[in-house]
Amino acid sequence: MLLLLQATQAADSVQVAADNLMKEAIANADGLDKLSLITQQLVDFGIRAGERILVAVLVFVVGRFLISLINKFIRRLMDKRKVDVSIKTFVKSLVNILLTILLIISVVGALGVETTSFAALLASAGVAVGMALSGNLQNFAGGLVILLFKPYKVGDWIESQGVSGTVKEIQIFHTILSTADNKVIYVPNGAMSSGVVTNYNAQVTRRVEWVVGIEYGEDYEKVQEIVYDILVADKRILNEPAPFVALHALDASSVNVVARVWVNSGDYWDVYFDINKAIYETFNEKGINFPFPQLTVHQGN
């Protein structure tokens, strides 16, 4: 692309000299000769414009091809070095944007616009755009903070800014989440780096808790033993820390029993739902009654 631009600039200097000679000839000509020279100048202008357009198209096509090659090279290099997926998505997005900007400047230069003037225009416009897009600059800085300190990575289930989901990509401006019902959410990196983020996959294990209500009058020791047996029977529940069962509270219409166990983070929801089902079925088999909201009314004589 640089060779094409240099050749174009050399041709421009030659063409400027030719245009000056043509202007002098037109000034000294009369009648039909002058009309013929003007016509010739218009034809030459059309040819030059066509050449510039063809060169610009060629620069664009070659540039896109080179950008594709560079992106593939960077992707393979990061794969070979086993770079973290979060960094991969960020770097690919950043490199693609920078190369695209360079390609636009090259195409504009091939069209005959002075790239120095164009760069100065971009610099002056960049100040105004930077002020208008200060939030995006904050998001860019937030993306760097996320990659540096790694509060989460691609594949983690997180909760932040009132939404939760699996991290699919960390781009230069946004973190992309995929929710449990397959929605795609774009969360600004600035908010993610400065706000509260709950990472459910940061630890290997998690604690699961159930609070089960039983009727007043039920044998608590029997209930405690039944719940403990249910928990111990599930092989996904860890032995250390040991399962915990206790009387949680004496509520308005029920005696609440709490059960707490530790499981591997990946087993959390499966264990939670399966134990719910097991407690419900076992209590019905053992004749342990679940409470219903009750109101006792005393009527005077």
Side-chain angles (χ1 to χ4, degrees):
M1 287 191 295
L2 291 176
L3 291 175
L4 286 174
L5 291 177
Q6 290 175 355
T8 303
Q9 292 172 354
D12 288 343
S13 61
V14 174
Q15 189 61 48
V16 169
D19 288 341
N20 291 333
L21 293 175
M22 179 64 74
K23 290 178 181 178
E24 292 179 3
I26 292 174
N28 296 327
D30 293 323
L32 293 175
D33 291 336
K34 189 173 185 177
L35 179 61
S36 177
L37 291 173
I38 293 174
T39 303
Q40 182 63 38
Q41 189 178 31
L42 292 175
V43 172
D44 291 342
F45 175 78
I47 293 173
R48 292 199 304 272
E51 290 176 349
R52 290 182 183 279
I53 292 173
L54 288 176
V55 171
V57 172
L58 182 60
V59 170
F60 178 79
V61 172
V62 173
R64 291 302 302 172
F65 176 72
L66 291 177
I67 289 174
S68 177
L69 287 181
I70 293 173
N71 285 332
K72 289 180 180 178
F73 172 76
I74 292 175
R75 183 169 61 251
R76 290 174 182 173
L77 181 63
M78 290 191 294
D79 290 340
K80 185 177 180 180
R81 295 181 178 274
K82 297 181 179 180
V83 177
D84 187 80
V85 179
S86 306
I87 299 177
K88 285 182 184 179
T89 57
F90 186 89
V91 171
K92 286 191 294 184
S93 179
L94 178 61
V95 170
N96 189 61
I97 289 176
L98 292 177
L99 292 177
T100 302
I101 292 174
L102 291 176
L103 176 60
I104 293 173
I105 295 175
S106 300
V107 171
V108 171
L111 288 173
V113 179
E114 288 290 338
T115 53
T116 53
S117 302
F118 185 69
L121 179 63
L122 282 179
S124 59
V127 177
V129 173
M131 294 178 65
L133 301 179
S134 58
N136 282 333
L137 295 178
Q138 181 183 2
N139 293 334
F140 176 76
L144 295 178
V145 170
I146 291 170
L147 292 178
L148 180 62
F149 294 101
K150 296 182 179 180
Y152 56 85
K153 62 183 185 299
V154 172
D156 286 347
W157 179 275
I158 65 171
E159 182 178 348
S160 181
Q161 306 301 312
V163 296
S164 60
T166 302
V167 179
K168 291 300 182 183
E169 290 186 43
I170 302 175
Q171 297 186 345
I172 62 173
F173 295 132
H174 296 88
T175 293
I176 302 177
L177 302 181
S178 177
T179 64
D181 53 353
N182 209 28
K183 297 176 184 175
V184 177
I185 302 177
Y186 292 77
V187 185
N189 285 336
M192 298 292 280
S193 64
S194 60
V196 176
V197 177
T198 302
N199 189 338
Y200 291 98
N201 295 107
Q203 301 294 333
V204 178
T205 59
R206 289 180 63 187
R207 192 183 75 179
V208 192
E209 178 176 300
W210 300 267
V211 177
V212 182
I214 58 175
E215 283 188 349
Y216 276 93
E218 294 288 351
D219 185 349
Y220 167 72
E221 299 295 335
K222 176 183 177 182
V223 172
Q224 184 184 38
E225 182 179 352
I226 291 173
V227 173
Y228 187 82
D229 290 342
I230 293 173
L231 299 179
V232 172
D234 195 315
K235 301 303 180 183
R236 295 168 297 182
I237 294 175
L238 303 178
N239 295 325
E240 186 63 34
F244 173 80
V245 182
L247 198 155
H248 181 259
L250 303 177
D251 211 342
S253 301
S254 65
V255 176
N256 294 335
V257 179
V258 63
R260 294 171 181 159
V261 300
W262 288 85
V263 298
N264 292 322
S265 296
D267 295 331
Y268 182 91
W269 289 112
D270 290 338
V271 171
Y272 179 80
F273 292 123
D274 289 347
I275 295 299
N276 269 343
K277 180 181 178 182
I279 289 176
Y280 178 75
E281 292 176 347
T282 306
F283 276 23
N284 285 331
E285 290 175 2
K286 301 294 184 179
I288 298 174
N289 296 318
F290 294 98
F292 295 93
Q294 300 180 14
L295 178 64
T296 302
V297 178
H298 298 277
Q299 184 176 1
N301 294 328

